[in-house]
Amino acid sequence: MSLSKTEKKLQLLLNEYKCPEATPEQRNAMIHALQTERARAFLLSRSNYRMRLMTQIVYIPKALWLIQGILLILGLWVIMHAPRSGALTVLSVGAPMLGVTVFPVLLCSFSDGMWELEQSARYSLKEICIMRLLIFGVADTCILAVFLAAMVRAGSSLSSYLYWVVVPFALSSSVYLYLIRKIRRTASGYIIVCAGAVLSCASLYIQGYKERIEDVLAGSMGTAVSALLPIAAAIILGVQIWSYVRFIGQKEKGWDEIWNYN
């Protein structure tokens, strides 16, 4: 294909073009700018987990921490003033509601279309959710640990606390994560609240058989149950971790868009 006269003229001009010689000042300024950008990019890539956690803590509503504190104080008050069976009942019913104060904050990232903002942000949406899950996990673990210490001091056994408090909390958290995975962007805090109410009612219904269940566990099966307690705790922890891994590692249709370029 032959070139036209205009194209040949442009080609000739381009061939004759030479880059102007840079002065020492210009060369030094360019080197300084490149070194500055390189150092900045290095710092960004080396941001540690503490920086990421602190970044997310700033954006978590203060009302959430206030509600968590109120639940902690209320739970301790119930443990100290209510009978042992009544305290376990209240805590087992309230355990699913503890997650209700947390998971709607995660839902905002999906229902508000945060994936668009994420494209211009420093961290990906998946990383943001991981950091927030870690923050909430540490906070809820501390609350459950305080409840455990108070219940044991009040005379309750470790097995009773595991059955009637930790199990409802772990199962309800798994249900919330499952709902978030399934309903995706249409996720709403109202759905989580309704699920928490249903789980609390189910826990209250099971409490009606509490004495019968504890009699069976304290009978001939008591020794076997005590021996299997560490295994049961490991299974419950495994279910919880599996739920988190399923949530973060979701690869079904539609999640590539939510998790962006994953």
Side-chain angles (χ1 to χ4, degrees):
M1 182 177 178
S2 60
L3 300 177
S4 63
K5 292 183 179 180
T6 304
E7 290 174 341
K8 290 181 179 180
K9 187 176 180 180
L10 289 174
Q11 187 179 42
L12 181 61
L13 291 174
L14 290 175
N15 291 334
E16 294 178 352
Y17 177 80
K18 294 182 180 180
C19 181
E21 188 71 21
T23 63
E25 292 79 8
Q26 292 174 335
R27 188 179 297 107
N28 293 335
M30 180 181 63
I31 294 175
H32 177 72
L34 290 174
Q35 291 176 346
T36 302
E37 289 298 319
R38 181 181 178 183
R40 181 174 176 270
F42 179 75
L43 290 175
L44 289 176
S45 63
R46 296 278 294 182
S47 58
N48 51 31
Y49 282 103
R50 180 179 178 276
M51 182 184 298
R52 301 178 188 180
L53 288 174
M54 295 303 295
T55 302
Q56 292 307 312
I57 289 176
V58 173
Y59 289 99
I60 295 176
K62 295 180 181 178
L64 186 145
W65 301 117
L66 178 62
I67 294 174
Q68 294 269 36
I70 292 174
L71 291 176
L72 176 61
I73 295 173
L74 181 61
L76 292 176
W77 183 87
V78 169
I79 292 172
M80 298 303 174
H81 293 85
R84 185 177 68 88
S85 59
L88 283 173
T89 300
V90 172
L91 289 180
S92 64
V93 174
M97 301 306 295
L98 184 61
V100 171
T101 64
V102 169
F103 285 93
V105 178
L106 288 177
L107 293 178
C108 293
S109 300
F110 299 93
S111 59
D112 294 342
M114 293 298 292
W115 65 275
E116 294 180 354
L117 179 60
E118 173 212 350
Q119 294 179 358
S120 60
R122 182 171 179 177
Y123 306 115
S124 66
L125 179 57
K126 174 183 281 191
E127 192 171 20
I128 290 173
C129 288
I130 291 175
M131 291 297 107
R132 290 189 178 182
L133 280 172
L134 179 59
I135 294 170
F136 296 144
V138 171
D140 289 344
T141 300
C142 292
I143 292 176
L144 293 176
V146 173
F147 284 162
L148 171 61
M151 290 296 295
V152 172
R153 185 172 182 179
S156 297
S157 63
L158 179 61
S159 59
S160 296
Y161 180 82
L162 176 65
Y163 301 146
W164 305 112
V165 180
V166 177
V167 171
F169 174 78
L171 293 181
S172 61
S173 297
S174 301
V175 170
Y176 300 147
L177 288 173
Y178 174 81
L179 290 175
I180 294 176
R181 291 205 328 264
K182 291 303 178 182
I183 55 186
R184 295 193 181 100
R185 282 192 178 180
T186 58
S188 172
Y190 297 107
I191 298 177
I192 297 298
V193 171
C194 291
V198 172
L199 291 168
S200 297
C201 292
S203 179
L204 185 61
Y205 176 79
I206 296 174
Q207 284 289 328
Y209 300 92
K210 180 177 181 297
E211 294 182 0
R212 187 181 303 178
I213 295 174
E214 289 194 343
D215 289 341
V216 172
L217 296 177
S220 58
M221 297 176 59
T223 304
V225 171
S226 299
L228 294 175
L229 187 60
I231 300 177
I235 293 174
I236 294 172
L237 180 61
V239 170
Q240 193 72 15
I241 294 176
W242 180 81
S243 300
Y244 291 142
V245 172
R246 284 282 295 165
F247 173 72
I248 296 300
Q250 190 76 7
K251 291 290 186 181
E252 294 180 2
K253 183 179 179 181
W255 278 75
D256 289 338
E257 183 180 3
I258 292 178
W259 284 147
N260 239 357
Y261 307 106
N262 183 28

